[in-house]
Amino acid sequence: MAEHDFRYSMLNPQHTLTECRTLAPGRYQVTGNGGSIHEGDQLLVTLKGSKSLYMRLNVEKVRHLINPPGQWVAVAKGPVFDELIIHEWKVNCDSCSTELTFEFSVESKLGAKAQKPAAAARIAELGWKAEGDKHYCRKCQAQPS
């Protein structure tokens, strides 16, 4: 089992995704070029409309195409959601004023009430700490108070 990084990048255009579409909740059809994809592998795929968010897909079946060379079509399992809305917010460190611009996703049916918890979880993933309404970057967390 291997992990293949197909997140959007201008650095490796030979190793790209052509399409990722939903077949059913939690099941996806992925078409790509490059890599040596096999059943049981994992694919990291950029979320549509995002610069930095991605999802992890587990390949169930793969078919390698003859033409064009290197192209393949896979069926994969992944996260179950109806529709995600990508938000971009900014926070400042309350100690040193460093600014963090970050993206996070929220299921559309959950509405605005789900935005703050999703943003807090994303900030924590990025290594920042939130205490009430205050936010602290990694550098300021490491400094003794």
Side-chain angles (χ1 to χ4, degrees):
M1 179 167 86
E3 181 176 88
H4 304 276
D5 192 346
F6 281 93
R7 290 177 284 189
Y8 179 72
S9 171
M10 298 296 280
L11 301 175
N12 195 0
Q14 307 86 355
H15 195 75
T16 58
L17 286 184
T18 307
E19 178 184 42
C20 182
R21 65 185 184 103
T22 305
L23 298 173
R27 291 184 48 89
Y28 302 88
Q29 177 177 306
V30 184
T31 305
N33 291 303
S36 182
I37 308 301
H38 300 288
E39 291 178 20
D41 287 357
Q42 292 188 343
L43 306 175
L44 302 179
V45 180
T46 303
L47 290 177
K48 184 177 182 179
S50 173
K51 297 174 199 145
S52 62
L53 298 175
Y54 64 93
M55 63 182 172
R56 185 178 305 273
L57 303 177
N58 296 312
V59 177
E60 294 178 327
K61 294 191 293 190
V62 65
R63 186 180 62 179
H64 295 273
L65 305 177
I66 295 170
N67 203 5
Q71 191 169 34
W72 48 266
V73 177
V75 175
K77 283 195 322 189
V80 177
F81 54 83
D82 289 325
E83 180 184 10
L84 292 179
I85 297 176
I86 308 294
H87 296 278
E88 185 175 282
W89 284 7
K90 292 181 182 181
V91 293
N92 292 310
C93 177
D94 286 297
S95 184
C96 70
S97 298
T98 298
E99 183 178 85
L100 171 67
T101 302
F102 65 100
E103 290 181 318
F104 65 97
S105 62
V106 176
E107 178 114 28
S108 63
K109 66 183 175 188
L110 297 177
K113 68 179 184 280
Q115 289 180 12
K116 280 191 177 184
R122 181 66 176 148
I123 289 170
E125 283 177 22
L126 297 172
W128 280 51
K129 184 176 179 183
E131 291 178 359
D133 287 339
K134 296 187 182 289
H135 300 92
Y136 300 98
C137 69
R138 289 179 185 203
K139 184 179 82 176
C140 293
Q141 291 176 53
Q143 294 176 353
S145 299

